[in-house]
C-alpha cells in the first residue's frame, strides 16, 4: 500500500517522498487499537510546521508519515476495544491523531493505519468520507472546542441555545476552522460577524453568517470594527488568523467581560503575544480584556461532538476547497500553504 513519508525537512516538495509499497501494519492482539483503511485525509497547517521544523534524521522521524486527520473504514478491531465503544468491522469513522503523534511520525497519510479506538467517531449518516474528515478532523474539533470555551460548562450543545443573545466575531471565517466555527456559533444562537476577503464573502454568508467584513477593504481593520461595532460590542472575538492588533484594539469592540481566543501558535503569533498579553499590566499599556491562546488536544471526544452537531443540523456542511489524489499530496500541501484555501484541502487515499 502506498504511503507518504518525510525523508528530509523543508517545504512539502523538499521533505516528502511517496513510497509505492509499504507493508500493511499489523494489529497487536488484545489491544485497544483498530486497523483502519484510510479513504481521506484533510490537511492542516500544523502538518506544514512539522515538515519544515523537524529534521528527518531525528530518531523518531525516520520514515515519518505526515497527516493528522483521517476518514476511513474499520477493517479489524483489537480484542481490547471495549464493547461500549459500539464499533464493528465495516464502520465508517473519522477523527484526528494528536500533534505529538504526528511530530513523532505516526501520521495518517497512508493506506492503512492502526489507531486507538478512542480517537475515532462514527461518520454521520448521509455524509461521505471527505465531508466527515473536513468537520471531524483537527479543524472541526478546534471549532467545537473554541465554541465550548465561549459557552463554558460540559455536555452537548443544543440548537439555538448556548450562545443565544450573544454577538461573536470570527476572524478567518473562510478557512478550515472558521467555516465550521461560524456554523456552530450561528447554530447555537449567536449573531455572527465573519472576517474574510471579499472573494469569500458569498461563501461565508452561505454558512449563515449575519455580516461579513472584508479585511482587505478596510485599513486599518480595527478602526473599521470600532466604528461599526463600538456601540454594539461583541461577547467574543475568535481569532483563527493570529492578528495581534485585533486583540490590542479589542476594547473598542469587545465587551469588558468578553472573551478573546486566539488559536494560532508559533513564536511570533502565539508565544510572544501570549506572554505579552498575559503579563503586561494595563497601567503599562496592557489590553484590558481577557486573552486565551487555545491549543487543541485532539481527542475522539471532540470528533464525536462534531459528529453530534452534524446529526443535530447545527453543522450543516463541510466546506471543501479541493480534493487531490494520493499521488498529488505535495500539490495538496502547496495549496494549503498558500493560506488561501476556502475550507479544507483533502487527499483521497489510495489503498491498493
Ligand atoms: N490551536 C489549535 O489547536 C489549532 C487547531 C487548528 C488550526 N490552528 C491554526 O489556526 C489557523 C487557521 O487554521 P485553518 O485550518 O482554518 O487554516 P486555513 O484553512 O489554511 O485558513 C485559510 C483561510 O485563512 C483566511 N485568511 C488568511 N489571511 C487572513 C487574514 N489576514 N484575515 C482573515 N482571514 C484570512 C483565508 O481567507 P482569504 O483567502 O479570504 O484571505 C483562507 O480562507 C492556522 O494558523 C492553524 O495552524 C490551530
Amino acid at each position: 500500500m502506498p504511503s507518504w513519508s518525510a525523508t528530509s525537512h523543508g517545504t512539502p516538495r523538499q521533505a516528502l517522498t511517496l513510497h509505492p509499497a509499504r507493508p500493511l501494519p499489523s494489529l497487536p492482539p488484545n489491544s485497544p487499537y483498530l486497523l483502519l483503511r484510510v479513504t481521506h485525509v484533510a490537511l492542516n497547517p500544523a502538518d506544514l510546521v512539522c515538515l519544515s521544523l523537524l529534521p528527518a534524521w531525528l530518531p523518531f522521524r525516520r520514515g515519518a508519515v505526515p497527516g493528522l486527520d483521517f476518514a476511513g473504514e474499520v477493517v479489524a478491531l483489537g480484542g481490547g476495544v471495549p464493547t461500549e465503544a459500539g464499533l464493528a468491522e465495516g464502520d465508517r469513522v473519522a477523527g484526528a491523531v494528536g500533534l505529538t503523534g504526528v511530530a513523532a511520525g505516526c501520521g495518517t497519510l497512508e493506506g492503512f493505519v492502526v489507531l486507538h479506538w478512542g480517537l475515532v467517531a462514527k461518520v454521520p449518516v448521509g455524509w461521505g468520507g471527505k465531508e466527515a474528515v473536513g468537520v471531524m478532523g483537527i479543524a472541526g474539533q478546534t471549532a467545537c472546542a473554541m465554541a465550548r470555551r465561549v459557552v463554558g460548562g460540559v455536555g452537548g450543545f443544543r440548537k439555538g441555545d448556548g450562545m443565544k443573545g450573544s454577538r461573536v466575531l470570527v476572524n478567518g471565517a473562510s478557512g478550515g476552522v472558521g467555516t465550521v466555527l461560524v456554523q456552530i456559533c450561528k447554530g447555537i444562537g449567536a449573531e455572527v460577524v465573519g472576517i474574510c476577503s471579499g472573494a469569500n464573502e458569498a461563501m461565508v454568508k452561505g454558512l449563515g453568517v449575519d455580516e461579513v467584513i472584508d479585511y482587505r477593504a478596510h485599513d486599518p481593520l480595527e478602526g473599521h470594527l470600532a466604528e461599526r461595532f463600538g456601540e454594539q460590542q461583541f461577547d467574543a472575538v475568535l481569532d483563527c488568523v493570529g492578528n495581534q492588533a485585533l486583540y490590542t484594539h479589542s476594547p473598542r469592540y469587545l465587551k469588558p467581560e468578553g472573551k478573546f481566543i486566539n488559536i494560532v501558535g508559533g513564536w511570533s503569533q502565539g508565544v510572544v503575544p501570549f506572554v505579552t498579553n498575559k503579563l503586561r499590566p494595563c497601567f503599562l499599556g496592557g489590553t484590558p480584556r481577557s486573552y486565551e491562546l487555545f491549543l487543541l488536544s485532539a481527542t475522539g471526544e471532540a470528533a464525536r461532538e462534531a459528529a453530534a452537531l452534524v446529526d443535530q443540523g447545527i453543522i450543516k456542511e463541510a466546506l471543501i476547497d479541493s480534493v487531490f489524489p494520493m499521488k498529488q499530496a505535495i500539490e495538496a500541501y502547496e495549496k494549503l500553504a498558500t493560506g488561501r484555501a476556502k475550507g479544507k484541502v483533502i487527499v483521497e487515499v489510495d489503498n491498493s
Side-chain angles (χ1 to χ4, degrees), residues 298-313:
T299 64
E301 215 168 295
R304 287 184 278 280
E305 183 157 46
L309 292 176
V310 171
D311 287 337
Q312 290 175 72

Side-chain angles (χ1 to χ4, degrees), residues 45 142 171-172 174-177 197 200 215 240-241 263 294 296 339-341:
T142 305
N171 190 25
S174 53
V177 178
S197 66
N200 291 329
Y215 68 90
C240 308
V241 176
I263 56 164
F294 173 77
L296 178 80
R340 302 267 83 87

Side-chain angles (χ1 to χ4, degrees), residues 27-34 78-82 115-118:
L27 192 60
N30 295 321
S31 67
Y33 296 96
L34 51 83
V81 175
L115 297 166
H116 192 279
W117 72 266

Side-chain angles (χ1 to χ4, degrees), residues 185-196:
C185 294
K186 189 69 199 157
I188 60 173
E191 188 181 326
V192 180
V193 177
I195 301 176
C196 64

Side-chain angles (χ1 to χ4, degrees), residues 28 33 38 91 94 165 167 178 256 266 280 295 304-305 325 336 350:
Y33 296 96
V38 183
D91 278 351
R167 295 167 56 77
R280 191 193 291 164
L295 300 174
R304 287 184 278 280
E305 183 157 46
L336 175 76
D350 173 5

Side-chain angles (χ1 to χ4, degrees), residues 43-49 99 138-143 145-146 170-179 194-201 203-204 213-216 221 239-243 262-266 269 293-298 321 335-345:
L43 307 184
N44 292 284
D47 274 334
L48 300 169
V49 176
L99 189 54
I138 292 290
Q141 293 191 28
T142 305
M146 289 176 89
V170 176
N171 190 25
S174 53
V177 178
T179 50
I195 301 176
C196 64
S197 66
N200 291 329
E201 178 170 347
M203 177 193 84
V204 170
I213 305 291
D214 176 359
Y215 68 90
R216 292 187 181 170
L221 173 66
D239 186 6
C240 308
V241 176
N243 181 348
N262 170 31
I263 56 164
V264 178
Q269 288 173 293
L293 173 62
F294 173 77
L295 300 174
L296 178 80
S297 158
D321 176 272
K335 179 72 205 277
L336 175 76
T338 62
R340 302 267 83 87
K342 303 173 187 187
K344 296 304 294 178
V345 177

